[in-house]
Amino acid sequence: MAVFVYAENINGVYKKAALEAVAYAKAVASQKGDTVTAVTVNPTDASEVLYKYGADKVTVIRDESLKSFSPKSYAQALNEVTDGSIIVFPHTTDASSVAPMLSVLKNFSLITNVLALPESLSPFQVKRRAFSGKGFMHAKADEAGVVVTVSQNAFGVKENPVSGIEEVKELSVSNDDTRVIAHEQSSGKLDLKEAEIVVSAGRGLKGPENWGMIEDLASVLGAATACSKPVSDIGWRPHSEHVGQTGKAIAPNLYIAVGISGAIQHLAGVNGSKTIVVINNDPEAPFFKAADYGIVGDAFQVVPALTEKIKAFKG
Ligand SMILES: Cc1cc2nc3c(=O)[nH]c(=O)nc-3n(C[C@H](O)[C@H](O)[C@H](O)COP(=O)(O)OP(=O)(O)OC[C@H]3O[C@@H](n4cnc5c(N)ncnc54)[C@H](O)[C@@H]3O)c2cc1C
């Protein structure tokens, strides 16, 4: 039986998280000696995009009733077209709300926030992020099948081109009453969840008028911008930039935190980052314990100097 993967598209377009999930499914299928079937709903992108990352088959669901996202209806649709015992999802906000519903419909185990390839396939056992990213656990599936969500940026977007085939399924699943009425767009040019580099700032910046230097640093690095919760609560920055336990969880390759103390609730959303750089004028700031590199200094001096150095280096 093929390994299935939900290839999430945003307004028809496959983003990094979906491609990473397909690449992960391909690696699991290779362990099994099997193929990958990617399932997607009303895409505009061509299936070739998914073949490049290892999807041997792409099942395209066409369903007018799924034009607006509803976790329950998406789970029903996926239930109709999947018959494998391993179903992979990206750990995005929307996909993470469909995965548990599908696991219930199929009576499969659910393992979220998976970080690596399975240690064993029978029973399915895999390492996952736990306790808001403060620890790891090795989770074992009890049931005959398993639904997993892959933590973003944990496995990587790996190309594995195959000559795939496409199958179109016209469905009309009964819809439920839940509707997403609006998706908040991120304010920056780059999608925060997809960004490889994120420059983030907190209350240490004193006021919204000082964000120019954060945007300058982000601009030279090709980074997205983020902020701590109080900063978005006071309205210095939009809520779409709020990261942490109650905001977005991100895992970029590089996270630069400026004037952020490093409270546990903030770390919960960023501690999956591959490299963390902290700039803070308090050497006792808790964030330094989680940092790979730390600069003790005044952000108003350090950030512009850093931006100039990077500009000069790039030049
Ligand atoms: C249930 C709950 C959920 C929460 N969820 C989140 C969440 O999702 N995300 C989140 O971020 N927070 C969250 N919080 C809030 C969290 O506990 C902290 O209060 C918050 O993260 C602090 O934000 P901050 O670091 O920007 O501000 P502060 O704690 O005020 O820290 C400011 C930092 O800036 C430094 N600083 C000051 N001046 C300078 C300067 N000139 N140069 C350099 N550094 C300077 C200071 O030394 C200090 O470390 C949550 C709290 C609760 C109770």
Side-chain angles (χ1 to χ4, degrees):
M1 270 185 298
V3 173
F4 282 79
V5 54
Y6 172 52
E8 178 185 44
N9 64 70
I10 307 294
N11 298 324
V13 178
Y14 302 115
K15 296 290 182 90
K16 203 172 102 187
L19 305 179
E20 185 175 21
V22 173
Y24 181 90
K26 185 65 176 179
V28 175
S30 301
Q31 286 184 337
K32 264 181 102 211
D34 218 324
T35 57
V36 171
T37 299
V39 182
T40 189
V41 180
N42 297 327
T44 48
D45 263 357
S47 292
E48 277 71 15
V49 177
L50 303 180
Y51 302 155
K52 196 169 155 192
Y53 297 91
D56 301 282
K57 182 175 168 187
V58 176
T59 300
V60 172
I61 298 172
R62 294 276 171 210
D63 185 340
E64 282 301 309
S65 71
L66 300 180
K67 282 261 153 82
S68 96
F69 176 71
S70 139
K72 197 170 160 190
S73 304
Y74 270 52
Q76 279 170 5
L78 290 177
N79 191 32
E80 285 196 27
V81 301
T82 49
D83 60 5
S85 60
I86 301 175
I87 307 178
V88 177
F89 280 73
H91 193 83
T92 59
T93 310
D94 285 356
S96 304
S97 61
V98 180
M101 293 198 184
L102 182 62
S103 76
V104 169
L105 289 174
K106 293 213 175 275
N107 201 19
F108 280 6
S109 295
L110 172 71
I111 305 179
T112 58
N113 253 318
V114 159
L115 291 167
L117 287 173
E119 292 139 15
S120 105
L121 288 170
S122 183
F124 192 97
Q125 183 172 310
V126 71
K127 184 179 177 184
R128 68 176 291 267
R129 202 185 298 285
F131 307 114
S132 296
K134 284 190 76 67
F136 305 115
M137 64 183 278
H138 298 267
K140 189 159 75 178
D142 288 339
E143 309 296 339
V146 64
V147 173
V148 297
T149 69
V150 181
S151 190
Q152 284 179 252
N153 217 11
F155 183 72
V157 183
K158 296 173 188 165
E159 289 188 20
N160 199 335
V162 293
S163 50
I165 52 163
E166 182 184 281
E167 171 194 42
V168 178
K169 295 251 184 190
E170 304 282 347
L171 295 188
S172 183
V173 295
S174 62
N175 230 324
D176 73 327
D177 298 333
T178 317
R179 282 285 178 285
V180 172
I181 51 170
H183 265 104
E184 191 178 356
Q185 296 295 314
S186 71
S187 56
K189 293 182 202 94
L190 275 168
D191 183 342
L192 185 49
K193 286 212 143 202
E194 299 272 320
E196 304 279 346
I197 306 177
V198 173
V199 180
S200 186
R203 215 149 42 176
L205 254 69
K206 325 281 187 225
E209 66 281 4
N210 296 323
W211 247 262
M213 65 180 186
I214 298 300
E215 277 163 1
D216 288 347
L217 178 58
S219 164
V220 292
L221 288 169
T225 49
C227 68
S228 65
K229 181 175 184 292
V231 160
S232 65
D233 285 349
I234 326 163
W236 291 359
R237 298 297 288 179
H239 275 290
S240 55
E241 288 196 0
H242 161 198
V243 290
Q245 187 184 321
T246 46
K248 285 183 180 150
I250 56 169
N253 288 332
L254 175 61
Y255 182 73
I256 303 178
V258 184
I260 301 177
S261 56
I264 188 170
Q265 298 89 355
H266 184 86
L267 291 177
V270 303
N271 57 11
S273 307
K274 295 270 191 295
T275 302
I276 297 179
V277 175
V278 168
I279 301 170
N280 198 303
N281 63 0
D282 175 5
E284 300 297 322
F287 219 148
F288 283 121
K289 291 207 177 81
D292 297 287
Y293 301 93
I295 302 173
V296 179
D298 183 355
F300 295 91
Q301 289 170 3
V302 175
V303 173
L306 189 58
T307 307
E308 285 314 311
K309 281 280 177 205
I310 294 167
K311 268 189 199 157
F313 177 75
K314 283 182 135 183

